[in-house]
Amino acid sequence: MPTESLPKIPQKPVLMPLPTLSEIHALRSHAQVVQGQIQLQHTAEEIWPYVSNTDLLDKKIGLSAVNYKFAQQTQDKSIQGNNLIYGETTLGFKKAAYLELPYEWIPPTTMSAERIFDYGWLQYLAARWQIENLTDGSGCVITLQLKYVPRYRWLPLALGLRRTIHQLLAVLKELDNQLSPQQVLGIETFFDSPASQETQIAKLTAQWSDLMPQSTIPQQVAEFIYTAPDKYAHKLRPFEVADYFNLPRLEVLTFCLLATKAGFLDLSWDILCPACQGANVRAVHLWNLHSSEVHCEACNVQYGSRFDENVEVTFNPRADLRQLDNKTYCFANPAVKNHIWAHLRLDPTETRTLKLSLPVGEYHLRSLSLPGLIKLQITADSSWSTESATVSLTLNEQFAQTSTLTLISPFQLTLHNPSDRWLTLRIEQLHYNSRIATAAWVTSLQDFRDLFSSSEVLQPNMHLGISNQVFLFSDLVGSTQLYEHKGDANAFSLVQEHFNLMIPIIRQHQGGVVKTIGDAIMAVFTQSEAAVRASLEILATFARRNANCLVEDQLILKLGLHKGPCIVLNLNDKLDYFGNTVNLAARIQGISYGNDLVMSAGLFKEVQPLLADYSSLQITSLEAELKGISKKTTLYRLEI
């Protein structure tokens, strides 16, 4: 409720106090119930992406947008996570404000929300979705149940709530009828028909025709901008566009960079919260990024910027292309938090037992309010299971004492919350289909460096960490003698020829040239396999060239590869990389004797399966002394 304020000095409204558990129990026990049910032709697994996209569903049935605020449950600032969520909206032509307890979901069967109102028509509202597959495999049944307590006893709210249930189930029925087997993003049926936007799509495609001639990508990106739901067009992820149209990801990203350079799109550097994947900071230029920690109000966690982990490159269409509604209709929205497989909430002092059936894979069990995490491996092999079918966990400081669990699905999980606070447990999946183009990857690309090398740089004296990057160093054997024997003009022409052969191959394999140093190249890759393939193709290309040249005109290359952590910073108005990994990569290249590639042992082990594709490859292990390292280092020499 708003506080009294001094004249002409507006005060910040006070959020409603947190109800006691007994008050919430009283509301739950007095709640009335309305529900609806519908049978769909698709399974729970197929319909889940749409049911769980609560933001799009609420908007589609005409609910009002919600203004959210967040506050800590306790005065102890050292406790992270589990912030209280407050929403302000309009329900039934009347302003409403409420406290929302943390959302719960277990795919593909259950999703629930619970709200206690400060003002509006309601005192209490709880929604629960239940999805059950039919035993004959012909589809599923969805039950939506609303429990509510009206603010006024005489108020006939049941009719309005039944209407809301009917609208939501009707939308799902419509989506079910439109659902095709080729669902990539899980939002396809929310798209507008391209025919309804045909004029705008054609106009923008014509304006873009010179950016990427003889390609369908300009037309398809234009179609995405005009037909995708507002938020997906507002935060344009090139990999989402690529996967939606089954296009090469790199080519779509390259086109978005070209369209940005031409002024049609705006580029954004988003610092993502590791807990919710939301962008709490969106910088229009790299220059605007800062190295200080960011606070996520929703999750109540502090985090920094890792160039290869949580700094994402996205694009925004220019305002005159499409007016976009970027309001929030439901904050929980499990569909866009696909790194969180399940999200569970426990009342103060609650103990609860659940039956969970997780797909085979690796997970983390984590509560943002507690230290540590538990690594969970779900296996199909009973011989690997180390635990019984029932696991009990207490959400306290000793939560992560059991650091690793190996289980077979389904299993029972008993959770106990001994505290006087609401706590959540997240089951995070480690491997999921991420469509994030990280800053480390984008800035390593040759196309980005060609288009934005002078305009997109970090602030002076600022550096950001990168967990893993692959560096390629090259050197041209005998270049000094080349100038002596050939003369400056002819030797320079040969050196330029060698650059012209190497750089397109680096570009093709999603790498970028950081700098040239005389006749040497320093290049960067984010993918190990891409770096190795590029290096071997470079060797093969020079071998073919040299086979048709006189001995004195042959170009002999020395190549070195190494992978590891580094820092990225601004040097000479360009992005550059520094650290021990970079130094070692340069020294490893020095071990090469020409027409070969030398790489570190860790990188070799990572890419060893790939090398089986190269039947004529000769591989030799060696021990070498590298400057700055006391012990000899194991390296591998590859010759084609």
Side-chain angles (χ1 to χ4, degrees):
M1 298 284 290
T3 60
E4 292 185 10
S5 58
L6 296 173
K8 299 183 181 178
I9 306 178
Q11 299 291 310
K12 185 176 180 179
V14 174
L15 300 174
M16 66 178 288
L18 177 63
T20 65
L21 184 59
S22 60
E23 289 172 334
I24 292 178
H25 280 320
L27 289 169
R28 290 170 178 167
S29 64
H30 288 88
Q32 303 174 50
V33 180
V34 291
Q35 70 176 36
Q37 194 174 79
I38 193 170
Q39 181 174 328
L40 303 179
Q41 59 185 329
H42 289 90
T43 64
E45 292 77 10
E46 291 167 328
I47 206 70
W48 175 259
Y50 296 92
V51 177
S52 61
N53 204 318
T54 50
D55 189 70
L56 288 182
L57 275 180
D58 287 357
K59 180 182 177 181
K60 195 169 181 68
I61 68 167
L63 294 182
S64 298
V66 184
N67 178 35
Y68 286 98
K69 297 182 177 70
F70 306 93
Q72 285 186 260
Q73 282 194 57
T74 71
Q75 298 301 314
D76 187 348
K77 300 296 183 183
S78 66
I79 297 178
Q80 294 197 91
N82 290 350
N83 259 5
L84 301 174
I85 305 170
Y86 294 92
E88 295 176 345
T89 188
T90 301
L91 290 175
F93 308 105
K94 186 177 178 64
K95 294 288 184 183
Y98 56 83
L99 163 68
E100 182 165 279
L101 297 180
Y103 222 73
E104 289 197 289
W105 66 84
I106 302 174
T109 58
T110 308
M111 189 170 60
S112 62
E114 196 169 12
R115 297 170 179 174
I116 299 92
F117 285 78
D118 189 15
Y119 53 84
W121 297 118
L122 291 158
Q123 288 190 71
Y124 173 83
L125 179 66
R128 181 176 179 82
W129 295 83
Q130 192 70 37
I131 312 173
E132 296 182 6
N133 281 323
L134 297 173
T135 54
D136 62 1
S138 62
C140 69
V141 172
I142 296 182
T143 303
L144 173 54
Q145 182 185 82
L146 297 180
K147 294 183 176 181
Y148 69 99
V149 176
R151 187 162 299 278
Y152 311 104
R153 290 185 179 180
W154 50 264
L155 199 61
L157 291 180
L159 185 62
L161 293 174
R162 286 195 182 96
R163 186 183 302 115
T164 299
I165 291 173
H166 175 77
Q167 289 174 315
L168 284 166
L169 295 180
V171 166
L172 289 174
K173 183 67 173 179
E174 179 185 348
L175 297 175
D176 182 55
N177 290 333
Q178 296 172 2
L179 214 55
S180 68
Q182 315 301 307
Q183 299 294 307
V184 178
L185 303 185
I187 57 168
E188 278 79 354
T189 57
F190 287 113
F191 276 64
D192 290 337
S193 165
S196 66
Q197 307 293 333
E198 186 176 358
T199 302
Q200 293 95 321
I201 294 170
K203 181 180 177 181
L204 185 55
T205 302
Q207 291 176 307
W208 282 351
S209 59
D210 293 336
L211 296 180
M212 193 172 275
Q214 311 302 316
S215 172
T216 62
I217 289 176
Q219 187 270 332
Q220 287 161 318
V221 175
E223 180 180 322
F224 194 95
I225 286 174
Y226 283 113
T227 61
D230 291 63
K231 282 190 177 178
Y232 292 82
H234 178 263
K235 185 174 180 175
L236 191 73
R237 285 176 158 152
F239 294 170
E240 285 186 344
V241 180
D243 292 355
Y244 180 69
F245 290 108
N246 194 26
L247 299 168
R249 286 183 167 188
L250 179 61
E251 291 183 26
V252 175
L253 173 59
T254 299
F255 175 78
C256 289
L257 292 171
L258 291 168
T260 298
K261 190 69 173 179
F264 291 97
L265 302 176
D266 293 324
L267 190 151
S268 177
W269 306 85
D270 303 344
I271 305 180
L272 305 181
C273 170
C276 68
Q277 297 288 295
N280 289 282
V281 174
R282 304 195 74 191
V284 294
H285 294 290
L286 265 178
W287 185 273
N288 302 124
L289 287 182
H290 50 80
S291 55
S292 59
E293 285 202 327
V294 178
H295 180 252
C296 178
E297 288 191 352
C299 301
N300 189 29
V301 295
Q302 298 283 126
Y303 59 95
S305 304
R306 298 291 301 180
F307 222 49
D308 59 334
E309 294 176 4
N310 70 325
V311 181
E312 179 187 14
V313 176
T314 60
F315 300 85
N316 314 94
R318 220 170 47 193
D320 61 335
L321 293 180
R322 177 178 170 186
Q323 295 296 314
L324 295 166
D325 173 14
N326 198 36
K327 298 185 185 74
T328 300
Y329 293 83
C330 180
F331 172 75
N333 209 21
V336 301
K337 298 178 176 69
N338 56 1
H339 62 296
I340 304 175
W341 187 83
H343 195 265
L344 308 171
R345 180 194 76 234
L346 271 78
D347 287 346
T349 70
E350 180 184 2
T351 298
R352 193 195 322 174
T353 298
L354 315 146
K355 185 175 182 180
L356 296 176
S357 183
L358 280 72
V360 170
E362 295 177 277
Y363 301 84
H364 283 165
L365 303 181
R366 188 199 310 265
S367 175
L368 296 182
S369 300
L370 302 174
L373 58 84
I374 297 173
K375 296 179 181 179
L376 171 63
Q377 176 76 44
I378 299 296
T379 178
D381 185 354
S382 59
S383 64
W384 282 92
S385 179
T386 60
E387 307 295 332
S388 66
T390 301
V391 175
S392 297
L393 297 174
T394 299
L395 302 185
N396 58 15
E397 295 297 315
Q398 288 74 46
F399 163 71
Q401 274 188 336
T402 303
S403 59
T404 306
L405 294 172
T406 303
L407 299 168
I408 298 174
S409 280
F411 63 93
Q412 281 196 333
L413 178 63
T414 298
L415 299 172
H416 174 56
N417 174 13
S419 76
D420 59 357
R421 296 175 289 128
W422 275 267
L423 293 178
T424 59
L425 179 72
R426 301 146 56 100
I427 303 178
E428 303 170 346
Q429 46 188 346
L430 269 61
H431 306 293
Y432 60 95
N433 187 9
S434 174
R435 297 186 172 92
I436 291 175
T438 65
W441 193 72
V442 174
T443 56
S444 71
L445 297 175
Q446 191 62 47
D447 288 315
F448 175 85
R449 291 181 165 269
D450 290 345
L451 292 168
F452 299 101
S453 62
S454 60
S455 60
E456 289 294 342
V457 293
L458 294 168
Q459 296 178 30
N461 303 318
M462 176 187 173
H463 62 267
L464 295 175
I466 300 179
S467 299
N468 270 304
Q469 206 80 321
V470 188
F471 292 97
L472 167 67
F473 277 84
S474 75
D475 189 26
L476 191 57
V477 175
S479 58
T480 302
Q481 292 82 356
L482 196 64
Y483 278 91
E484 290 178 358
H485 296 154
K486 290 287 185 181
D488 288 349
N490 289 332
F492 180 78
S493 177
L494 286 172
V495 171
Q496 286 303 118
E497 180 190 351
H498 123 274
F499 285 145
N500 292 339
L501 288 173
M502 285 186 68
I503 293 174
I505 296 172
I506 292 169
R507 180 198 304 272
Q508 177 189 347
H509 289 276
Q510 303 175 18
V513 174
V514 180
K515 54 190 171 188
T516 58
I517 311 156
D519 56 11
I521 277 179
M522 172 186 172
V524 62
F525 299 82
T526 56
Q527 302 296 325
S528 301
E529 288 193 359
V532 173
R533 287 191 187 278
S535 301
L536 294 176
E537 186 173 336
I538 288 169
L539 289 178
T541 300
F542 277 80
R544 288 192 297 269
R545 178 213 176 268
N546 291 338
N548 298 311
C549 293
L550 298 173
V551 173
E552 59 267 24
D553 289 335
Q554 290 184 0
L555 299 173
I556 308 300
L557 276 183
K558 300 167 64 178
L559 300 181
L561 276 180
H562 182 48
K563 178 180 181 179
C566 64
I567 60 171
V568 59
L569 48 75
N570 182 27
L571 182 68
N572 299 324
D573 295 326
K574 290 187 177 180
L575 290 177
D576 206 338
Y577 302 85
F578 285 87
N580 192 49
T581 298
V582 178
N583 296 335
L584 283 177
R587 290 165 189 162
I588 288 170
Q589 176 268 314
I591 302 301
S592 166
Y593 51 56
N595 289 332
D596 61 343
L597 164 67
V598 180
M599 69 173 70
S600 54
L603 179 59
F604 175 80
K605 290 177 182 177
E606 182 183 348
V607 301
Q608 198 167 5
L610 161 72
L611 301 179
D613 296 343
Y614 298 85
S615 57
S616 61
L617 202 61
Q618 297 180 27
I619 302 173
T620 309
S621 65
L622 62 143
E623 301 290 319
E625 292 184 354
L626 299 178
K627 183 179 178 182
I629 299 179
S630 56
K631 296 181 180 179
K632 286 191 175 183
T633 302
T634 301
L635 303 172
Y636 288 83
R637 188 188 310 278
L638 280 62
E639 299 173 272
I640 58 172

